[in-house]
Amino acid sequence: MAKDPALAARLVDIYQRFYSAYGPQHWWPGDGPFEVIAGAILTQSAAWTNVEMALAKMRSAGCWTLDAVHRIPEPELAQLVRSSGYFNAKARKLKAFAAHVSENYSGDLDAFLAKPAAPLREELLSIHGIGEETADDIIVYAAGKPSFVIDTYTRRIVDRLGISPNGSRPKYGDYQAMFHDNLPHETALFNEFHALWDNHAKEACAKTPRCRGCCLLDICPTGQAAN
């Protein structure tokens, strides 16, 4: 997707409206890269409150480094992360990530995350259990590099605003290109904007939208049609 000045201006307007309505979000809720990565894997198909319980159990059990995750037996790790759901699969994913860093970077997570964003993303996607959304979470929130995260909430709001990428079935990369092609590649901007999309979904644009008082109502065809 080539840069679209009108779309670029609209995205900036949306960001400013979100920021004025909700303020800074202070994402990601994690203390350092390890917690961010563990949280990004565990939050797949899970509410964050359940992820927090799993992270707390990992911490209290001393399973709080990649090396510890690499060494702990998978069934034991699965029990620690049980609250996050799909716990056996998530234990395998955590151990696959830890094994990758251990085997390819001698366990040096900082060295792995220091790679440029594009090859880092490609390598993340090669690890079992790391999909595009999780990879981008890790890049922007753990590695501190610009890669816009697309999730269910972002797609929902974009679609309701009538600015979806061309095509009847746009893919993850089509949505991401909207932001990459029309916004400055700044980590802080991508971090904050993604968090704001998610907060707006919680506050107003839920599965059943609550359009009254929405900060986007005057520019949202879906909201206009409902009022």
Side-chain angles (χ1 to χ4, degrees):
M1 177 186 292
K3 182 170 183 177
D4 180 339
L7 178 57
R10 192 165 190 188
L11 289 174
V12 170
D13 178 49
I14 292 167
Y15 176 82
Q16 291 172 340
R17 288 167 181 253
F18 281 168
Y19 198 87
S20 294
Y22 307 122
Q25 299 299 295
H26 306 293
W27 271 33
W28 178 282
D31 181 17
F34 171 78
E35 185 170 354
V36 170
I37 292 165
I41 292 171
L42 294 176
T43 199
Q44 296 171 5
S45 304
W48 184 252
T49 52
N50 294 330
V51 174
E52 286 180 316
M53 288 190 286
L55 293 172
K57 285 193 173 183
M58 288 178 66
R59 187 194 292 269
S60 65
C63 187
W64 203 239
T65 64
L66 279 185
D67 182 61
V69 170
H70 188 45
R71 289 186 288 102
I72 190 173
E74 189 174 301
E76 291 184 28
L77 179 58
Q79 290 307 307
L80 292 177
V81 302
R82 191 180 186 93
S83 66
S84 68
Y86 304 100
F87 51 92
N88 289 317
K90 289 180 179 179
R92 285 194 295 274
K93 293 175 183 181
L94 287 168
K95 288 190 69 66
F97 187 95
H100 183 88
V101 177
S102 177
E103 294 164 9
N104 295 283
Y105 296 87
S106 300
D108 190 341
L109 179 59
D110 290 339
F112 177 48
L113 296 178
K115 298 186 67 168
L120 175 59
R121 190 176 194 270
E122 183 176 356
E123 191 167 342
L124 283 165
L125 292 173
S126 75
I127 302 172
H128 170 72
I130 305 296
E132 291 183 293
E133 182 181 337
T134 304
D136 290 325
D137 278 333
I138 292 170
I139 291 168
V140 71
Y141 293 110
K145 297 177 171 65
S147 193
F148 204 94
V149 180
I150 303 298
D151 57 18
T152 300
Y153 307 118
T154 309
R155 286 191 289 268
R156 175 197 298 159
I157 300 166
V158 165
D159 292 347
R160 287 176 177 170
L161 286 169
I163 56 173
S164 303
N166 292 333
S168 59
R169 293 183 179 179
K171 298 179 181 179
Y172 185 102
D174 300 320
Y175 285 96
Q176 189 179 62
M178 290 177 51
F179 296 92
H180 282 192
D181 293 345
N182 293 289
L183 292 173
H185 281 215
E186 299 173 359
T187 302
L189 173 62
F190 284 8
N191 175 324
E192 191 69 70
F193 206 178
H194 168 241
L196 286 164
W197 285 102
D198 280 18
N199 191 66
H200 185 66
K202 179 181 69 176
E203 296 293 335
C205 208
K207 285 186 179 181
T208 301
R210 299 181 292 273
C211 298
R212 185 183 298 274
C214 172
C215 62
L216 303 181
L217 181 58
D218 63 310
I219 61 169
C220 179
T222 303
Q224 290 291 312
N227 283 270

